[in-house]
Amino acid sequence: MNKGYAVFCDADRQFYDAPHRMPASSKGRGAQYATLNRDLPEGWQRHRSGDWLAFRPLDRELPSQGWKIHVSACLDNAERVLAKVWDYCVPRSVAFKCMPSRYLLHIRNAKYADRGASGKFLTIYPADEEQCHRIAEELGDLLAGEPGPYILSDLRWGAGPVYVRYGSFTERHCYDDKGELRPAIEDGQGQLVPDRREPAFRVPEWVTLPEFLQPHLDARSATTVTDLPYKIERALHFSNGGGVYVGRDLRTDQQVVLKEARPYAGLAADEADAVARLARERDALQRLSGLGCAPEVLDWFTLGDHTFLVLEFIEGRPLNSFFAHRHPLIEADPSPERLAEYTQWAMRVHGLVADAVKAIHSRGVVFNDLHLFNIMMSEDESSVVLLDFEAASVDDASSRQVIANPGFVAPADRRGFDVDLYALACLRLALFLPLTSLFAVDRGKAAHLAEIAAAQFPVPRDYLDEAVAEILRGHQPASTTGRTGRPGGAGYLPVALGDWPHSRDSMVRAVLASATPDREDRCFPGDIAQFSTAGGGTCFAYGAAGVLYALAETGAERCPEAEEWLLRRTKTPTSGSPLGFYDGLSGVAWVLDRLGHRDRALDLVDTLGTQRWQDIAPDLHSGLAGLGLALDSLAGSTGESSLGERALHCAQLVADKLRAAAPPAEGGAPRAGLLHGDSGAALLFLRLYERTDDPALLDLAADALRRDLARCVRGAGGALQVNEGWRTMPYLGAGSVGIGMVLDDFLAHRPDDEFERARHEIVQAAQAKFYAQPGLFRGAAGMVLHLARTTAGGPGTHAADLRRQIDSLAWGAVPYQGHLAFAGEQMMRLSMDLSTGTAGCLLALGSALHDTPVHLPFLPPPRRP
């Protein structure tokens, strides 16, 4: 689970949206601080940039980088701190910016907030080092005694909430050593290099630490762990609230777990910080001592200003690990015996967990955070222990959930023990179909999942119905009653996915109903990448360009308002926009040309030469492969031969990068697959070979494909998947299926026994009955597209296999305004984009069902025998 998605759920109930768009009327959480309503002196500018609200005097020119000052604050003193900083900076014409509301400050300091940015409430921009010294000193005195979270990326000034860091003042970007676009500063030679924003204070190697900061650096280094009676052996987990470590008691040689809490940081929904939450865990576990289903408390101490809880080390593995290994729907065709065995296992395990919950309830403790990752199971699978009691309540029947896994978030009306009963009901379904995150969008999906689980497993229907009844208690699902008479059953979705073109028309209506052409940042709701990447709302993967492409390719009606929106937003591209095909300007230009807006497309192409191509990664998603493919295609459609030459230049740069890279066995090629691996480069070489007939390009394609195949492993049943070290990936974007698509195209030009064998093994990776998400690049839709396109033939490629995957795709669908829509990445909200949402599912279904099969860019339907 990517916990960064949770903060994008608050502003809208159905779609991911930027946190700063939280309505001010939402219980007052989005209202800005009163200080910010003051009038500014003449000559000052007020400017909104994402979550930040910035103020600067127009007659003062600032350097592009240097030593800047951050001020931290707690929720209760933030207004006071802001007023003091305003009163200091405005009369002195010192530029600054702030988090403008209590809500935004809260999420910046929340448990799973970015550790490198956490704590930063205000940023102040001195004109030079001398002014930095003066401001730090004077603000340090002015704010002395004000509490605030420690800013891990900065150097603390004294003991107060003032911090100092060297970094960028203006918005500039460069490509890092992986070819990814990052915020930038100039090095000693005037070259742009990444402005590293990590949770540790570092001085760039070409910068000399000012003398006035040395005492503060010495103070930072004074606290050590050398005097502790514990040796920390490894870190298990980090959050903004602190770390979790495995250690050893040096006095007894006993293995222990140490949980760390930072004061004022790691806030929960009830605004309790990590120290308060750790104290809750200590109190709850002490109440449960001797019960056997919770760890024992061993110690409690403070080091510096961090608090530590020492716990008994529990042998075993989290339940999600057993689940991932045992679940039969990861196979193409599990036997009835396998399904029956798993069903009995899941029911038995749920009984163990329910007994543990009943036991802690008997002592007046509500767990409040039950989910697959917080349940430790013994290796012999005979017992369970519940972990992470920092959200627990003791003797409080009215307590609410303040921390939760997205798939187990209780409705607002659940209190006390009912919170755990709701989680147990979710667990009952999740052990068969772990899609309970969808309940955040529509709780009526619970009955639909029960229908699916009953069809897939020999599980007693009453067993599932009991869970559904608990989940839906007090709630009337919006969906209709199915043929079985159960809410959300067979009629839950407005149309069957295989009922083309009616399913297409329903998806198109959902997409168009979601459009917001009055917004500047996006036209169609999609992934959170829309807000983290410059121009993210316009791009092919997550923005309007990809949606418009999917609509056009599947024969849907045009959306003139969205096309006009895209034209407006690309008249002057957003500063820092990437050049890549899926995340940047080249993909937008390519789509605009296909839609008939050639002049704007060529205008965007002209901007592509403004950055050094040598610094860009070779991949398809963001790098040179995608850029070269777009230029080559535009050369053909526009007749601009110079674009074809530039495409060949891209290919040469890609070839040089691949030659210089270490082989995968020696640490090279950190990523594999179509979007981020060397298969994207192979695709570029293939398409250019088809234009030039240069066999050297085919040789380069073969070498690139072999590099990606070297990152693959064969799993059970012989399925070939990308090995990421801690998991294997079958998916279209970063898994083996994307490699398989390029192998199919390569083999149309040159036979190769290794490639022939590999593509058949990759087909097996597209045969699982269950994929965790529906999306095109990281879910079931990509499997539909591959099976609809592949020329591999043989087992797994027949019409029945494709129909089965189309049926499984429906598991991630949720109605939107009566139309067919799909959940996005992490399954907590709907998405309409191509990479993660409904537009991508539309394209995948079109590849299988449309009269003229549709396709991904540069991967046309192959010439079948």
Side-chain angles (χ1 to χ4, degrees):
M1 181 185 70
N2 184 331
K3 300 179 177 66
Y5 279 76
V7 299
F8 291 85
C9 292
D10 289 345
D12 191 287
R13 291 289 302 168
Q14 292 182 302
F15 300 108
Y16 294 118
D17 209 345
H20 70 262
R21 295 186 66 89
M22 166 68 77
S25 59
S26 181
K27 300 180 182 179
R29 293 194 298 168
Q32 71 177 21
Y33 293 113
T35 299
L36 302 177
N37 296 324
R38 296 181 187 178
D39 291 332
L40 283 166
E42 186 176 350
W44 276 74
Q45 179 190 67
R46 186 189 308 251
H47 172 66
R48 188 74 188 240
S49 177
D51 291 349
W52 293 97
L53 188 61
F55 304 86
R56 71 183 185 95
L58 296 176
D59 63 346
R60 299 294 176 96
E61 187 169 343
L62 288 173
S64 57
Q65 64 193 53
W67 290 98
K68 55 186 175 181
I69 294 169
H70 289 115
V71 176
S72 69
C74 301
L75 298 179
D76 292 337
N77 71 331
E79 180 78 72
R80 184 170 64 247
V81 169
L82 174 60
K84 290 180 180 180
V85 172
W86 178 291
D87 290 341
Y88 178 89
C89 288
V90 172
R92 294 168 175 81
S93 294
V94 176
F96 67 100
K97 66 180 181 181
C98 70
M99 286 285 110
S101 70
R102 183 185 183 95
Y103 169 73
L104 290 174
L105 180 60
H106 186 175
I107 64 171
R108 177 157 288 254
N109 289 333
K111 179 177 180 181
Y112 291 111
D114 176 14
R115 297 173 70 233
S118 176
K120 296 174 182 177
F121 174 46
L122 287 135
T123 306
I124 298 156
Y125 298 98
D128 51 36
E129 285 188 11
E130 180 182 351
Q131 189 181 42
C132 178
H133 185 187
R134 182 168 64 253
I135 293 174
E137 205 160 47
E138 292 174 352
L139 276 183
D141 293 339
L142 186 66
L143 300 175
E146 294 285 4
Y150 198 104
I151 301 176
L152 297 172
S153 63
D154 288 25
L155 181 61
R156 190 177 192 178
W157 184 273
V162 176
Y163 295 78
V164 180
R165 173 184 179 272
Y166 189 93
S168 177
F169 284 23
T170 59
E171 192 171 313
R172 296 185 292 175
H173 297 84
C174 71
Y175 290 91
D176 64 13
D177 56 2
K178 296 180 180 178
E180 297 177 0
L181 203 60
R182 300 294 187 196
I185 53 177
E186 289 182 21
D187 65 11
Q189 285 72 48
Q191 298 294 318
L192 289 179
V193 297
D195 183 8
R196 300 175 64 182
R197 300 176 178 182
E198 300 153 337
F201 175 68
R202 290 187 175 90
V203 181
E205 59 184 22
W206 66 90
V207 174
T208 301
L209 184 76
E211 188 176 336
F212 65 85
L213 292 178
Q214 188 62 49
H216 305 281
L217 181 61
D218 294 340
R220 180 188 178 100
S221 306
T223 301
T224 68
V225 298
T226 54
D227 295 330
L228 285 181
Y230 302 99
K231 177 185 178 182
I232 294 177
E233 297 177 335
R234 69 180 189 276
L236 293 176
H237 169 71
F238 285 105
S239 73
N240 187 36
V244 181
Y245 312 92
V246 173
R248 193 165 297 277
D249 190 326
L250 298 175
R251 298 161 296 189
T252 65
D253 201 38
Q254 177 185 5
Q255 197 167 36
V256 297
V257 171
L258 296 94
K259 300 191 70 172
E260 172 193 28
R262 301 199 301 125
Y264 313 122
L267 304 182
D270 64 348
E271 302 183 354
D273 71 359
V275 176
R277 290 189 287 104
L278 199 63
R280 284 179 187 164
E281 179 161 19
R282 176 200 60 196
D283 295 345
L285 290 176
Q286 287 176 338
R287 173 68 69 90
L288 300 174
S289 180
L291 204 56
C293 58
E296 295 290 336
V297 174
L298 303 177
D299 199 0
W300 172 270
F301 64 89
T302 300
L303 178 67
D305 58 356
H306 291 203
T307 301
F308 288 82
L309 174 66
V310 184
L311 300 175
E312 169 193 14
F313 180 85
I314 303 297
E315 298 284 354
R317 287 180 287 146
L319 178 56
N320 70 291
S321 176
F322 289 93
F323 168 84
H325 177 70
R326 279 182 165 271
H327 201 278
L329 297 191
I330 62 174
E331 302 172 11
D333 189 22
S335 67
E337 294 77 16
R338 177 103 162 80
L339 292 167
E341 178 190 19
Y342 178 82
T343 298
Q344 292 303 313
W345 178 85
M347 294 174 68
R348 181 179 65 82
V349 168
H350 187 273
L352 291 174
V353 178
D355 288 344
V357 170
K358 183 178 180 180
I360 69 169
H361 284 184
S362 71
R363 294 199 179 178
V365 174
V366 179
F367 190 20
N368 274 328
D369 193 19
L370 181 71
H371 57 82
L372 286 162
F373 294 80
N374 275 358
I375 301 165
M376 185 70 79
M377 177 173 279
S378 62
E379 290 294 345
D380 65 3
E381 303 182 7
S382 65
S383 62
V384 297
V385 174
L386 306 183
L387 303 178
D388 292 339
F389 279 77
E390 60 186 35
S393 64
V394 179
D395 297 333
D396 184 0
S398 63
S399 64
R400 292 188 60 178
Q401 198 170 30
V402 296
I403 294 174
N405 178 283
F408 296 80
V409 178
D413 62 346
R414 304 299 168 96
R415 297 285 194 279
F417 300 131
D418 281 351
V419 171
D420 289 346
L421 297 181
Y422 179 87
L424 280 171
C426 289
L427 181 65
R428 190 175 289 197
L429 292 183
L431 283 168
F432 294 98
L433 290 174
L435 301 173
T436 54
S437 297
L438 291 171
F439 300 167
V441 180
D442 179 14
R443 241 193 299 168
K445 183 70 176 181
H448 190 219
L449 293 185
E451 293 279 356
I452 298 168
Q456 299 294 323
F457 295 91
V459 55
R461 189 55 208 259
D462 290 347
Y463 182 82
L464 299 173
D465 287 345
E466 289 175 5
V468 173
E470 175 61 35
I471 291 166
L472 296 183
R473 179 158 54 92
H475 171 78
Q476 180 60 45
S479 54
T480 59
T481 300
R483 290 189 296 271
T484 61
R486 295 184 176 94
Y492 174 75
L493 296 179
V495 62
L497 270 62
D499 184 11
W500 190 273
H502 298 107
S503 56
R504 175 200 65 187
D505 297 341
S506 186
M507 284 183 277
V508 170
R509 286 193 290 269
V511 169
L512 297 181
S514 74
T516 55
D518 55 320
R519 285 179 57 157
E520 291 294 309
D521 56 345
R522 74 171 189 205
C523 185
F524 298 104
D527 191 68
I528 67 173
Q530 291 183 326
F531 311 109
S532 61
T533 305
T538 66
C539 72
F540 190 83
Y542 312 111
V547 175
L548 292 173
Y549 171 77
L551 295 178
E553 291 298 299
T554 54
E557 60 187 282
R558 296 281 287 263
C559 184
E561 296 85 358
E563 291 184 35
E564 288 298 321
W565 182 91
L566 188 57
L567 289 169
R568 288 197 309 272
R569 297 305 301 153
T570 54
K571 185 175 182 179
T572 304
T574 304
S575 174
S577 293
L579 306 186
F581 186 87
Y582 279 92
D583 67 345
L585 298 177
S586 60
V588 176
W590 185 83
V591 170
L592 286 173
D593 181 63
R594 288 179 71 87
L595 294 176
H597 305 293
R598 179 153 296 166
D599 289 343
R600 176 56 51 78
L602 292 176
D603 288 343
L604 289 178
V605 168
D606 288 341
T607 70
L608 299 179
T610 60
Q611 296 190 48
R612 280 172 46 87
W613 290 5
Q614 292 86 346
D615 297 331
I616 305 176
D619 64 60
L620 174 63
H621 186 274
S622 309
L624 291 164
L627 179 58
L629 284 161
L631 292 171
D632 181 60
S633 177
L634 287 166
S637 64
T638 65
E640 298 277 348
S641 60
S642 62
L643 299 183
E645 295 304 313
R646 294 168 74 182
L648 288 171
H649 178 54
C650 280
Q652 184 60 58
L653 291 173
V654 172
D656 291 344
K657 286 177 179 288
L658 295 189
R659 289 191 193 98
E666 299 175 15
R671 303 181 73 176
L674 179 66
L675 293 186
H676 304 285
D678 292 336
S679 292
L683 184 61
L684 172 64
F685 298 140
L686 268 178
R687 296 296 165 244
L688 292 177
Y689 165 75
E690 291 168 349
R691 177 163 69 84
T692 66
D693 288 326
D694 181 355
L697 288 165
L698 204 55
D699 294 339
L700 288 169
D703 291 343
L705 285 167
R706 292 188 208 284
R707 286 174 60 86
D708 261 6
L709 289 175
R711 289 288 315 278
C712 295
V713 294
R714 290 171 180 83
L720 194 66
Q721 300 190 35
V722 170
N723 181 14
E724 292 191 341
W726 61 285
R727 64 180 179 182
T728 59
M729 294 290 280
Y731 297 119
L732 176 60
S736 56
V737 161
I739 303 172
M741 294 186 76
V742 185
L743 286 173
D744 281 339
D745 286 18
F746 181 93
L747 289 166
H749 297 291
R750 178 187 292 174
D752 186 291
D753 290 343
E754 178 192 357
F755 290 176
E756 187 68 42
R757 186 167 53 252
R759 70 166 173 163
H760 284 280
E761 293 168 338
I762 287 171
V763 164
Q764 299 310 305
Q767 291 298 298
K769 299 190 75 171
F770 173 78
Y771 295 97
Q773 301 183 133
L776 182 63
F777 289 125
R778 282 171 51 87
M783 307 307 172
V784 171
L785 189 146
H786 180 52
L787 293 180
R789 182 182 188 274
T790 185
T791 55
T797 65
H798 303 303
D801 301 305
L802 180 57
R803 284 197 300 271
R804 186 185 66 193
Q805 290 299 54
I806 290 174
D807 290 341
S808 297
L809 181 59
W811 299 359
V814 176
Y816 172 67
Q817 296 190 14
H819 310 306
L820 184 62
F822 289 86
E825 189 79 6
Q826 306 298 307
M827 307 286 281
M828 291 184 276
R829 291 293 185 269
L830 301 179
S831 169
M832 297 299 174
D833 71 31
L834 184 127
S835 180
T836 72
T838 305
C841 295
L842 172 65
L843 192 74
L845 288 171
S847 72
L849 304 173
H850 196 47
D851 293 339
T852 303
V854 301
H855 54 87
L856 277 175
F858 322 119
L859 284 162
R863 296 182 293 275
R864 297 179 184 275

